[in-house]
Amino acid sequence: MLKRKMEGALNEQINKELYSAYLYLSMSAYSEHIGLPGFANWFMIQYKEEVDHAMKIYNYINDQGGQVKLKAIDEPTAEFKDALDMFQKTLEHEQFITKSINELVDLGIKEKDHATQIFLQWFVTEQIEEEKNDNDILAKLKLAGDKGSGLFMIDKELAARVYTPIQTSAE
Ligand code: OFO
């Protein structure tokens, strides 16, 4: 059974995950537009993963007898300077999501909601991986350069990323 406050906070998180999806879809479109198909692939997979994150919370709210309430999703920016700018914005956004997940855990502790605390552990771990991936790609972009052959190599590497659906329900 979900308490009102936690239900509201989880619904907010669904909105943040769907905004994340929308932001990365916008980056995928921009990458396509500037001729970087590997980056477009990477961000398209990121988009799908964010939808999975939203659905994981959506299913949890339902499983716990709560009510999912969807809110409007903000418009993401469509303008980026270059590949480096996209990944700087990606890392910044993921740091914001990490903060948001940590606040949810804090609320779980305050409300003595053990089930939600355990549920959120998956997201705590996921955020470590997300930030690490973004930092790794940012480091490569800074090292190899975000132009010419360096950028071409990174684009080829990002083209190899494959989407693996995450488990979004308890069963
Ligand atoms: Fe990018 O992890 Fe969800 O938002």
Side-chain angles (χ1 to χ4, degrees), residues 24-41 43 78-87 141 145-148 151-152 154-155 158:
Y24 299 139
L25 188 60
S26 180
M27 290 185 184
S28 183
Y30 183 77
S31 302
E32 203 70 64
H33 178 66
I34 61 171
L36 292 172
F39 281 76
N41 172 62
F43 282 116
E79 299 305 324
F80 305 95
K81 272 190 261 154
D82 48 28
L84 186 69
D85 183 41
M86 279 192 293
F87 268 96
L141 279 168
D146 64 341
K147 301 183 201 45
L151 184 62
F152 179 73
I154 298 170
D155 190 63
L158 299 188

Side-chain angles (χ1 to χ4, degrees), residues 24 30 34 45 66 73-74 86 113 132 143 154 158 171:
Y24 299 139
Y30 183 77
I34 61 171
I45 291 171
I73 306 167
D74 289 343
M86 279 192 293
D113 183 342
K132 183 195 177 312
L143 207 70
I154 298 170
L158 299 188
E171 297 104 57

Side-chain angles (χ1 to χ4, degrees), residues 146-164:
D146 64 341
K147 301 183 201 45
S149 58
L151 184 62
F152 179 73
M153 293 294 293
I154 298 170
D155 190 63
K156 257 181 96 173
E157 197 183 314
L158 299 188
R161 186 180 186 192
V162 177
Y163 170 62
T164 313

Side-chain angles (χ1 to χ4, degrees), residues 11-61:
N11 271 309
E12 287 292 338
Q13 191 63 33
I14 289 181
N15 186 265
K16 287 175 189 163
E17 300 294 341
L18 290 176
Y19 173 77
S20 304
Y22 222 27
L23 176 65
Y24 299 139
L25 188 60
S26 180
M27 290 185 184
S28 183
Y30 183 77
S31 302
E32 203 70 64
H33 178 66
I34 61 171
L36 292 172
F39 281 76
N41 172 62
W42 196 93
F43 282 116
M44 184 61 79
I45 291 171
Q46 202 60 24
Y47 153 75
K48 289 178 185 167
E49 284 198 355
E50 298 300 353
V51 174
D52 286 348
H53 295 172
M55 289 312 296
K56 202 173 174 74
I57 303 170
Y58 175 106
N59 289 328
Y60 177 74
I61 293 175

